[in-house]
């Protein structure tokens, strides 16, 4: 229960980290649906759907969006789904809407969750909001990048700029600020190289 009165689901960790683990697990479960024998398809399908409902209870936007992007990519790579792209997309949208209402039935907080998500996304001037705190971190990240002439602050050097009360967020900003232009290019090369291997594997 956060200070706005919205109940956020979590496992043994904070809601955001729980959501990231669920997002990753759901993608693996979806892959198992298309890899295992028919008798296991129902099991993995139900497991993926139950985890998705749990993911929505965390009210975490980033992991949910990354999961939907992953599912969208999965559809593009699976020939059977790509042939029925519009139908697959329609089913996913329907499941997202249905799962959202199911995830909030026990608490009856459908309207408060919508209000909370809208406020955290649109309010950019308050450091307590999701977007507001990000804008502050990004602004200080740009300042740190400029102070080091693009060479980077070194590992962990970004933290003094954003102060202790800011939660670690946005890996990309940390890579750019702490490792500078050269480190960012090396990280980008590693990322693209890994992506090429994933695509080849699919």
């Amino acid at each position: 229960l956060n200070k706005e009165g919205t109940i956020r689901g979590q496992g043994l960790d904070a809601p955001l980290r729980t959501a990231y683990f669920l997002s990753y697990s759901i993608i693996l479960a979806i892959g198992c649906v298309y890899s295992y024998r028919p008798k296991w398809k129902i099991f993995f399908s139900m497991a993926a759907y139950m985890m998705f409902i749990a993911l929505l209870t965390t009210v975490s936007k980033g992991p949910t969006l990354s999961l939907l992007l992953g599912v969208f990519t999965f559809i593009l790579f699976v020939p059977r789904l790509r042939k029925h792209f519009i139908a697959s997309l329609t089913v996913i949208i329907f499941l997202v809407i249905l799962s959202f209402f199911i995830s909030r039935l026990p608490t009856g907080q459908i309207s408060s969750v919508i209000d909370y998500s809208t406020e955290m996304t649109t309010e950019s001037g308050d450091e307590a909001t999701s977007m507001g705190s990000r804008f502050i971190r990004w602004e200080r990240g740009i300042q740190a990048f400029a102070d080091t002439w693009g060479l980077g602050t070194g590992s962990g050097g970004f933290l003094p700029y954003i102060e202790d009360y800011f939660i670690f967020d946005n890996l990309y900003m940390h890579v750019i600020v702490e490792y500078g232009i050269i480190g960012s290019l090396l990280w980008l090369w590693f990322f693209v190289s890994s992506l090429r291997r994933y695509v080849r594997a699919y």
Side-chain angles (χ1 to χ4, degrees):
L1 184 67
N2 62 16
K3 64 181 182 180
E4 287 81 11
T6 301
I7 297 176
R8 300 185 64 182
Q10 66 183 74
L12 300 177
D13 209 334
L16 182 61
R17 283 188 287 271
T18 298
Y20 276 119
F21 281 115
L22 285 171
S23 176
Y24 181 72
S25 301
I26 292 168
I27 288 293
L28 290 179
I30 292 174
C32 290
V33 171
Y34 287 89
S35 302
Y36 281 69
R37 294 180 179 179
K39 66 178 181 179
W40 286 100
K41 291 183 182 293
I42 297 178
F43 171 77
F44 283 111
S45 297
M46 292 299 298
Y49 187 64
M50 294 300 292
M51 285 189 290
F52 182 64
I53 293 176
L55 171 63
L56 292 181
T57 65
T58 65
V59 198
S60 299
K61 299 172 289 300
T64 304
L65 291 176
S66 66
L67 171 65
L68 295 178
L69 181 60
V71 172
F72 176 77
T73 305
F74 189 81
I75 292 174
L76 293 179
F77 276 102
V78 177
R80 285 181 295 172
L81 296 177
R82 190 169 60 243
K83 290 180 181 178
H84 307 284
F85 179 78
I86 301 299
S88 300
L89 206 58
T90 303
V91 170
I92 290 173
I93 293 173
F94 172 76
L95 288 176
V96 169
I97 297 174
L98 178 65
S99 302
F100 171 75
F101 284 98
I102 292 177
S103 70
R104 284 295 142 181
L105 279 179
T107 60
Q109 290 189 321
I110 295 176
S111 59
S112 66
V113 169
I114 295 175
D115 292 340
Y116 170 75
S117 300
T118 302
E119 179 184 354
M120 294 299 286
T121 304
T122 56
E123 293 287 341
S124 58
D126 185 1
E127 64 185 30
T129 65
S130 180
M131 288 305 297
S133 61
R134 281 174 170 82
F135 281 133
I136 294 174
R137 284 193 288 265
W138 296 342
E139 182 180 352
R140 296 184 181 181
I142 294 172
Q143 182 62 48
F145 186 81
D147 290 345
T148 58
W149 298 91
L151 297 177
T153 62
S155 182
F158 187 22
L159 294 178
Y161 279 87
I162 58 177
E163 300 181 12
D164 295 336
Y165 61 85
F166 280 115
I167 300 174
F168 181 90
D169 180 59
N170 196 328
L171 171 66
Y172 311 104
M173 179 61 74
H174 277 262
V175 168
I176 294 171
V177 174
E178 296 184 357
Y179 300 104
I181 297 174
I182 297 176
S184 298
L185 290 175
L186 288 173
W187 182 86
L188 183 62
W189 170 81
F190 175 78
F191 183 82
V192 172
S193 178
S194 299
L195 183 61
R196 288 177 60 188
R197 291 176 181 270
Y198 299 150
V199 171
R200 192 180 303 122
Y202 267 110

